[in-house]
Amino acid sequence: MKKMMKKLALAVACVTTVAMFAACGGKEEENVIKFGTNAEFPPFEFVAANGVIGEYDGIDMAIAKNIGDEIGKTAQIENMEFDSLLLALQNGQVDAVIAGMTIDPERAEEVNFSVPYYTAKQVMIVKEDSTIAKATDMADKKIVVIQGYTGESCVKEMGYAYEAFKKGSEAIMELVNGKCDVVVIDSATAQKYVGDNEGLKIVEDAEAFSSEEYGIAVNKKNTELLEQINEILTKMIEEGTINELSAKYSEQ
Ligand code: GLN
């Protein structure tokens, strides 16, 4: 009897819970769309006092908010390590990943990517007095990259030794403190770091680093969401909204 009462109470609790969470054996709340990100990548995603989605702000976060609005769902952010994002998508922990993520063939084997919404490239951040002028100058230098970013693959392919950090901000501190000679990272994020820290400059090498395109990743099974996202992104690109967002967040 006691057991039955317990069961009954549990059932009532489940039914009355406004959000039907998986813990109750029900499905995730239907009015929420969960985006996975790694909020360590300004101007695309970072933590701020008053973000566009809770404490999360940036170009990607504004895009995520707009996608939620357009499909009539509340956009929620799950902040996690960059390396864990695609797994979380495959596990169903998040519905989509928006993280300044470069569309690459290896990742595209695991997940589907939306239409590209931003073009970037890898650049080198060095001290203002550095002699590094092209990628091959890094050969005998202390190189730092961020773990799992395309910058890491680029340096690996070049065959140079490097150290990988978990966060862009940690990598920049190494450079600022003179513990490394160069950080390889995406262009817009590099601009941000150079603007925020004295004595640094960006060195580009178009021959060594080809351009990359960012896309939103969706579980391969969820083609309906992919189509919705593509439609919304295309509209945002055509109407100039993404350009506006990128200008706004890059200036801040
Ligand atoms: N564009 C890079 C990549 O996809 C870095 C992305 C990021 O750190 N958020 O690997």
Side-chain angles (χ1 to χ4, degrees), residues 37-38 40-41 44-45 60 82 85 98-104 107 120 122 146-153 185-186 189 212-214:
T37 202
N38 171 242
E40 293 284 344
F41 197 62
F44 293 90
E45 38 269 332
D60 283 346
F82 189 77
L85 286 167
I98 185 160
M101 186 174 274
T102 302
I103 303 170
D104 78 20
R107 290 172 180 163
Q122 298 301 310
I146 299 81
Q147 197 175 309
Y149 284 23
T150 35
E152 179 176 14
S153 340
I185 196 167
D186 298 46
T189 306
E212 303 179 8
E213 284 177 319
Y214 295 169

